[in-house]
């Protein structure tokens, strides 16, 4: 194999790679010796099929496989020989006039990770804003909880269902007069006015009495999860089996024992713990943002443009999806366009912070254990149907990109915790409103929430105008998370362009053609 460097500019590298026909042929011969004894063919005893006949029948396929493995090994050798740390999957192109049996000449282009300067982590100072849990906060939470745990009494004979009542019904849904999958159910209980069912359904149940049969007409929303029903007009044949009246929410020992608890005091303790957990999450949000702001301000180094572009594309797709749910999608998209450069800066910041956190973690022995990784995979698998979970687990175990996406948030949090332990922290009691205000605004920018449910984000996003944009929603809020992963390791690369990898993560293998699909929502639910 012959290698010639053709570009070395900044973080960009390019090489020509020549693999001789002799090397490829040697691989074919080795494979023939391996598989020939296993080939069965009429007229020959098992294991006695001549190698030249096997070559005649399977030669082109074996030649192609030998070429692929030669390319993969060649790129692996190239990376190792030059000590490269690819930022993304290398782009590999075979000469367009190549024919099987000839010397193969490849063009390999890639960007490498920068040499991250020694992180400056000395002298970090943070303020920890804490919110004590007051009794009135527990009382308010307890009242809300009691209202959620409504109890119902049977309605008087002939009572017409009204908003707030619980109606028990059987139903059959039809589109164009034909019952559809997931549209039939028995003994479904729904509180009128809860908004649980598709628009218009609950309103048409008002006035129903026990034993009544009625038909209602609805239209499924255009964004309904089951695409075959989205935007379709449908009818539902209802049989009202019972109507019940909501009892006044009462906070007493019975409320606690109905939940399997020993006492009301135990329920109060559990709710207090829940509130404390929420406050701790907000406190961590604020501290993490301040920490990463300090790191970002103290470090500036070049980052691979391809990684920034990949990160920006991800952010932009999320924002475009969010814009479609605005009251005026066109205005939201226009506002996004005016802030494109700001979001590109966010993408660059995310990549740089990801590389920086990765460097800190690697230098100080921070790692995600195999047990932690197994827990992450198991948790992520729960979003799939039982028959698809094993396929998902196997996919993550085989694909570095998928594993990196699961690992990165936990790895980032562990590095952040490591930094918290070494920072000088002062405590100050505040109200919840003050803490939320500190998170929401700073220097004219709004702060979104972390893409993970246990933490919050740290980046500043362009402030949205009230006329177009409501308070940040999850899809856009994801636009500020740093791209963090563990140490890069050279991997075999297929001779084609692959998808972007996380910052400082190894190039990923190509994803399988089909991934496990998430479970579909029942047709009756909105």
């Amino acid at each position: 194999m012959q290698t010639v460097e053709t570009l070395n500019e900044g973080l960009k590298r390019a090489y020509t790679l020549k693999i001789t026909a002799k090397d490829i042929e040697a691989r074919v011969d080795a494979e023939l010796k391996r598989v020939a004894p296993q080939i069965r063919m009429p007229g020959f005893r098992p294991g006695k099929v001549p190698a030249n006949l096997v070559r005649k029948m399977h030669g082109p396929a074996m030649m192609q496989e030998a070429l692929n493995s030669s390319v993969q090994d060649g790129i692996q050798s190239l990376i190792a020989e030059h000590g490269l740390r690819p930022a993304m999957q290398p782009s590999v192109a075979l000469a367009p006039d190549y024919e099987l049996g000839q010397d193969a000449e490849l063009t390999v282009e890639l960007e490498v990770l920068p040499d991250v300067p020694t992180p400056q982590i000395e002298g970090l100072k943070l303020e920890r804003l804490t919110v004590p849990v007051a009794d009135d906060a527990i009382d308010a939470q307890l009242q809300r909880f009691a209202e959620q745990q409504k109890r119902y009494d049977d309605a008087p004979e002939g009572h017409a269902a009204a908003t707030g009542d619980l109606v028990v019904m059987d139903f059959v849904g039809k589109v164009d007069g034909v019952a559809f999958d997931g549209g039939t159910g028995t003994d479904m209980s729904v509180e009128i006015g809860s908004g649980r069912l598709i628009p218009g359904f609950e309103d048409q149940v008002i006035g129903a009495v026990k034993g009544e049969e009625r038909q209602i007409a609805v239209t499924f929303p255009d964004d309904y999860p089951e695409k075959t029903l989205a935007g379709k007009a449908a009818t539902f044949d209802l049989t009202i089996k019972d109507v019940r009246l909501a009892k006044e929410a009462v906070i007493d020992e019975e409320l606690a024992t109905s939940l399997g608890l020993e006492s009301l005091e135990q329920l109060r303790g559990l709710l207090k713990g829940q509130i404390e957990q929420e406050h701790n999450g907000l406190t961590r949000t604020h501290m993490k943002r301040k920490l990463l702001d300090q790191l970002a301000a103290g470090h500036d180094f070049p980052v691979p443009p391809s990684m920034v572009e990949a990160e920006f594309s991800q952010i932009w797709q999320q924002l475009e999806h969010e814009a479609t749910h605005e009251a005026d999608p066109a205005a939201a998209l226009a506002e996004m366009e005016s802030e494109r450069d700001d979001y590109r800066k966010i993408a660059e910041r995310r990549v740089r912070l990801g590389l920086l956190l990765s460097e800190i973690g690697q230098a100080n022995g921070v790692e995600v254990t195999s047990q932690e990784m197994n827990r992450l995979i198991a948790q992520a698998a729960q979003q799939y149907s039982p028959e698809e979970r094993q396929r998902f687990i196997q996919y993550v175990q085989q694909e570095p990109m998928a594993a990196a996406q699961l690992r990165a948030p936990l790895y980032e949090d562990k590095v952040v915790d490591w930094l918290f332990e070494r920072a000088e922290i002062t405590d100050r009691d505040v109200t919840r409103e003050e803490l939320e205000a500190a998170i929401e605004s700073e220097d004219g920018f709004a702060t979104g929430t972390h893409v993970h449910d246990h933490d919050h984000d740290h980046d500043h996003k362009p402030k949205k105008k009230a006329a177009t944009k409501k308070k940040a929603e999850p899809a856009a809020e994801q636009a500020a998370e740093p791209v963090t992963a563990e140490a890069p390791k050279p991997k075999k690369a297929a001779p084609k362009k692959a998808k972007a990898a996380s910052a400082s993560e190894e190039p990923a293998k190509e994803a399988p053609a089909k991934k496990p699909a998430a479970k579909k929502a029942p047709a009756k639910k909105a």
Side-chain angles (χ1 to χ4, degrees), residues 283-349:
T283 296
R284 179 186 171 85
T285 296
H286 182 260
M287 283 182 63
K288 180 178 177 181
R289 173 175 175 179
K290 295 300 183 183
L291 169 69
L292 295 177
D293 281 348
Q294 289 185 45
L295 291 176
H299 301 83
D300 187 19
F301 51 87
V303 294
S306 59
M307 292 182 70
V308 175
E309 185 59 36
E311 199 62 38
F312 173 76
S313 296
Q314 184 182 38
I315 292 172
W316 204 249
Q317 289 173 7
Q318 293 162 355
L319 293 171
E320 286 179 329
H321 174 75
E322 183 184 82
T324 62
H325 293 82
E326 294 290 345
D328 188 346
L333 288 170
E335 186 176 356
M336 281 170 48
E337 285 294 337
S338 69
E339 297 164 344
R340 179 182 287 268
D341 290 344
D342 292 326
Y343 281 109
R344 193 173 295 279
K345 291 176 182 177
I346 287 175
E348 182 176 339
R349 170 187 163 108

Side-chain angles (χ1 to χ4, degrees), residues 103-146:
D103 291 345
E105 187 169 295
L106 309 169
T107 299
V108 181
E109 298 177 350
L110 71 157
E111 285 182 339
V112 296
L113 294 174
D115 292 327
V116 180
T118 302
Q120 301 301 312
I121 59 176
E122 300 299 329
L124 291 173
K125 295 182 179 181
L126 299 170
E127 185 177 44
R128 181 163 47 210
L129 304 182
T130 56
V131 182
V133 180
D135 288 341
D136 57 353
I138 300 175
D139 293 339
Q141 186 81 338
L142 187 57
Q143 182 63 39
R144 287 192 293 269
F145 184 79

Side-chain angles (χ1 to χ4, degrees), residues 126-442:
L126 299 170
E127 185 177 44
R128 181 163 47 210
L129 304 182
T130 56
V131 182
V133 180
D135 288 341
D136 57 353
I138 300 175
D139 293 339
Q141 186 81 338
L142 187 57
Q143 182 63 39
R144 287 192 293 269
F145 184 79
E147 291 172 355
Q148 293 169 0
Q149 304 298 316
K150 285 183 180 178
R151 287 170 277 183
Y152 295 87
D153 288 332
D154 291 336
E157 191 70 27
H159 173 77
T163 300
D165 292 349
L166 186 75
V167 178
V168 182
M169 68 184 81
D170 294 344
F171 62 92
V172 177
K174 300 177 182 178
V175 172
D176 297 329
V178 179
F180 55 84
D181 291 341
T184 301
T186 59
D187 295 328
M188 180 182 71
S189 298
V190 60
E191 179 187 350
I192 298 178
S194 65
R196 171 187 166 195
L197 304 182
I198 57 178
F201 192 111
E202 294 170 25
D203 293 341
Q204 297 180 66
V205 180
I206 293 176
V209 297
K210 182 177 179 179
E212 179 185 345
E213 294 185 356
R214 65 166 57 183
Q215 185 181 81
I216 65 173
V218 297
T219 300
F220 285 94
D222 291 336
D223 59 352
Y224 193 69
E226 177 54 62
K227 299 305 180 185
T228 59
L229 297 175
K232 294 286 185 67
T235 60
F236 281 87
D237 297 327
L238 309 180
T239 300
I240 308 302
K241 302 178 76 172
D242 201 1
V243 179
R244 298 173 185 168
L245 302 178
K247 296 174 66 175
E248 183 180 352
V250 178
I251 300 174
D252 55 14
E253 294 292 333
E254 184 182 350
L255 173 63
T257 55
S258 68
L259 299 170
L261 302 176
E262 295 180 358
S263 65
L264 181 60
E265 191 60 32
Q266 185 182 10
L267 176 57
R268 288 181 63 88
L270 291 174
L271 292 177
K272 179 179 181 181
Q274 183 183 64
I275 296 172
E276 287 177 337
Q277 187 175 15
E278 292 174 2
H279 290 176
N280 291 340
L282 293 172
T283 296
R284 179 186 171 85
T285 296
H286 182 260
M287 283 182 63
K288 180 178 177 181
R289 173 175 175 179
K290 295 300 183 183
L291 169 69
L292 295 177
D293 281 348
Q294 289 185 45
L295 291 176
H299 301 83
D300 187 19
F301 51 87
V303 294
S306 59
M307 292 182 70
V308 175
E309 185 59 36
E311 199 62 38
F312 173 76
S313 296
Q314 184 182 38
I315 292 172
W316 204 249
Q317 289 173 7
Q318 293 162 355
L319 293 171
E320 286 179 329
H321 174 75
E322 183 184 82
T324 62
H325 293 82
E326 294 290 345
D328 188 346
L333 288 170
E335 186 176 356
M336 281 170 48
E337 285 294 337
S338 69
E339 297 164 344
R340 179 182 287 268
D341 290 344
D342 292 326
Y343 281 109
R344 193 173 295 279
K345 291 176 182 177
I346 287 175
E348 182 176 339
R349 170 187 163 108
R350 287 175 65 174
V351 172
R352 183 175 290 109
L353 276 171
L355 293 170
L356 187 60
L357 290 174
S358 179
E359 183 71 18
I360 293 171
Q362 292 174 55
N364 295 283
V366 178
E367 62 179 14
V368 174
T369 66
S370 58
Q371 292 87 345
E372 290 171 332
M373 192 64 199
N374 289 337
R375 281 199 299 272
L376 289 174
I377 295 173
Q379 290 169 0
Q382 294 305 310
Q383 67 180 299
Y384 299 100
S385 60
E387 59 271 17
E388 295 284 4
R389 286 174 189 165
Q390 190 56 40
R391 285 184 57 204
F392 170 78
I393 292 173
Q394 291 175 350
Y395 169 67
V396 173
Q397 290 173 340
Q398 295 169 3
E399 298 298 327
M401 170 67 81
Q405 289 174 337
L406 284 178
R407 182 192 302 113
L410 177 58
Y411 183 73
E412 174 196 314
D413 280 346
K414 296 187 78 169
V415 176
V416 168
D417 286 338
W418 186 90
L419 289 168
F420 281 165
E421 292 174 359
R422 284 147 185 83
E424 180 183 332
I425 298 176
T426 57
D427 292 284
R428 179 162 63 95
D429 286 351
V430 295
T431 65
R432 177 165 181 153
E433 291 73 21
E434 289 172 334
L435 178 53
E436 289 176 339
I439 294 171
E440 279 298 320
S441 62
E442 180 183 4

